[in-house]
Amino acid sequence: MPSPEEASTSATPPPSFKSLGLIDPLLEAIENLKYKTPTEIQAEALPHALAGRDIIGVASTGSGKTAAFALPVLQRLWEEPKSLFACVMAPTRELAYQISQQFEALGSAIGVRSVVLVGGINETEQAIALAKRPHIVVATPGRLHWHLENTKGFSLRGLKFLILDEADRLLDLDFGPVIDKILKIIPKDRTTYLYSATMTTKVAKLQRASLSNPVRVEVSSKYSTVSTLLQYYLFIPLSQKDVHLIYLANSLAQNSMMIFTRTVHDAQRLSIILRSLGFPAVPLHGQLSQSQRLGALAKFKSGGRKVLVATDVASRGLDIPSVDIVINFDIPTHSKDYIHRVGRTARAGRSGKSITLVTQYDVELIQRIEAVIEKKMELWPTDKEEVALLRERAEEAGRLAAAELRDQAAAGGKKRRRDKGGGADDRDRDDDEVEAGMPVMKKGKR
């Protein structure tokens, strides 16, 4: 197979959306969404995509790549209207919903209908939505494959576009075998876009299997953090991580912040601790139901909650417009995960801060990250007396959180036993149930 043609990047100012050849209904939607000029990936990819070429796009999160692949699909749909026109595969449920929303917003003037197929939602509801003949299907690979095998009347035989978004993450999450099965049953005569933050050997193999004579568009050749991001570290003993997190939350209380943890348990535990001390925190992790996850995101985006405590399910792809500070409670094992996490702040030219908690066991990891980003982090100043004063309250909040988690586990076990006896499925409980019964303590002076 021929190697991808390289698209040259230009040093001249980006063209306008109109000069790229987009039709008036799309230009109207772009204006309503207040997109001023094309981003670099949009300016580079759109001319090739509108000319009908397959695209390999190498671009980091926050680069505007969703519009880069959605606009040419919508333009072709306008020219050739039909149902089930395009299928997008995404690695996470949240990203799938976000892509669907953007398709519908950009296609508002032409009445585009999109359906999302992800886990955690009742399959029958999704089958009913598919029967209404949507134009765009956005799905995680596992649930898409389930519907292809089990939903009567649903197939991708007439598909014109296939889009693989965050392809490196799709393959990191071991979706490769399922994607291979899907590729075997969709039309060979189609247009394919593959977007990825990195070109790993797995992604290159997927590219060879799924694309035909593609144009490669690359706008970020190496991992880096933006210049408007101020990066700090806090060197502390492992036993003092909780109290230092509370100190940071207290001293930065006026800011919106995302706190990243390595485990689901810590995401849940820390959100309980922070709420018990009066901080408006909400958790986001893979063990919440889909409605709880979407509810947590909505509350954080709207400002109803100032603190989002998350696992890496929230580190990539999600468009959260305003995050002032990212705190790494646990330092990530891989440098690219660090870059994705801190990329939640300092977006679109805005400034932002990141603070990473470093224990005696993390020194090598932080040095590796600094080598990759080619930048030394600065030490975040702390008031040792204030930290000492917070210690007792932190320990008490930790005990309350441990008791709350035990109660939740016991209640969850009873509910699962009831459900086995024919009760309702609890996957889609309302998000507010996560917060029910949380202890609240009055905060002292800040």
Side-chain angles (χ1 to χ4, degrees), residues 4-313:
E5 176 188 322
E6 295 289 334
S8 60
T9 52
S10 170
T12 56
S16 67
F17 282 107
K18 187 169 185 175
S19 71
L20 290 172
L22 292 172
I23 55 174
D24 287 341
L26 296 181
L27 293 173
E28 181 187 324
I30 286 166
E31 190 173 337
N32 290 339
L33 291 168
K34 297 184 168 48
Y35 294 174
K36 301 298 183 191
T37 55
T39 65
E40 193 177 353
I41 189 67
Q42 291 161 6
E44 293 293 338
L46 280 170
H48 300 291
L50 291 170
R53 296 290 299 274
D54 282 9
I55 303 288
I56 300 168
V58 183
S60 59
T61 185
S63 60
K65 59 186 169 57
T66 305
F69 62 68
L71 288 167
V73 169
L74 294 169
Q75 180 135 326
R76 181 88 174 276
L77 179 61
W78 172 261
E79 295 163 357
E80 188 185 329
K82 69 186 288 293
S83 61
L84 212 55
F85 192 74
C87 176
V88 186
M89 280 192 264
T92 66
R93 301 171 185 183
E94 288 74 24
L95 183 56
Y97 276 100
Q98 186 173 290
I99 292 168
S100 173
Q101 288 162 3
Q102 194 148 8
F103 262 101
E104 292 192 343
L106 288 167
S108 57
I110 61 175
V112 165
R113 297 188 311 279
S114 174
V115 67
V116 178
L117 306 179
V118 296
I121 301 294
N122 183 276
E123 294 91 341
T124 306
E125 291 176 21
Q126 293 174 344
I128 292 167
L130 286 170
K132 293 178 181 176
R133 301 171 67 82
H135 304 102
I136 314 291
V137 169
V138 189
T140 49
R143 183 53 66 95
L144 176 63
H145 186 251
W146 188 93
H147 279 287
L148 286 168
E149 290 202 325
N150 296 284
T151 298
K152 190 175 179 182
F154 173 58
S155 80
L156 298 176
R157 282 193 294 271
L159 196 71
K160 296 295 182 186
F161 283 86
L162 174 69
I163 298 139
L164 299 157
D165 193 21
E166 301 272 6
D168 51 350
R169 184 95 186 275
L170 280 168
L171 297 173
D172 282 348
L173 294 172
D174 294 327
F175 282 126
V178 179
I179 293 170
D180 287 342
K181 289 177 184 175
I182 294 167
L183 289 174
K184 285 175 184 170
I185 57 175
I186 61 175
K188 295 280 188 287
D189 183 20
R190 64 171 193 269
T191 304
T192 305
Y193 302 149
L194 185 153
Y195 277 83
S196 184
T198 54
M199 281 304 294
T200 63
T201 52
K202 283 183 182 177
V203 174
K205 186 178 176 184
L206 179 61
Q207 165 219 311
R208 289 193 294 273
S210 59
L211 281 80
S212 172
N213 190 27
V215 178
R216 177 167 170 156
V217 180
E218 187 163 357
V219 299
S220 55
S221 57
K222 75 182 199 63
Y223 273 115
S224 60
T225 51
V226 295
S227 58
T228 52
L229 173 67
L230 301 173
Q231 299 174 72
Y232 299 91
Y233 74 95
L234 205 51
F235 189 58
I236 51 173
L238 179 64
S239 60
Q240 293 184 25
K241 283 179 85 172
D242 284 6
V243 69
H244 278 86
L245 180 69
I246 292 164
Y247 167 78
L248 290 173
N250 200 47
S251 57
L252 299 166
Q254 302 310 308
N255 298 275
S256 64
M257 63 183 79
M258 290 184 71
I259 299 166
F260 282 101
T261 68
R262 189 173 292 130
T263 66
V264 168
H265 178 268
D266 268 343
Q268 194 71 15
R269 184 181 68 86
L270 292 172
S271 66
I272 296 170
I273 286 173
L274 290 166
R275 278 204 299 268
S276 74
L277 294 170
F279 297 101
V282 65
L284 177 64
H285 54 72
Q287 287 184 15
L288 295 176
S289 73
Q290 190 55 42
S291 59
Q292 289 169 336
R293 289 160 74 167
L294 292 173
L297 266 179
K299 286 175 182 176
F300 185 65
K301 280 185 173 184
S302 68
R305 295 289 185 273
K306 299 279 279 186
V307 183
L308 186 69
V309 190
T311 58
D312 280 314
V313 74

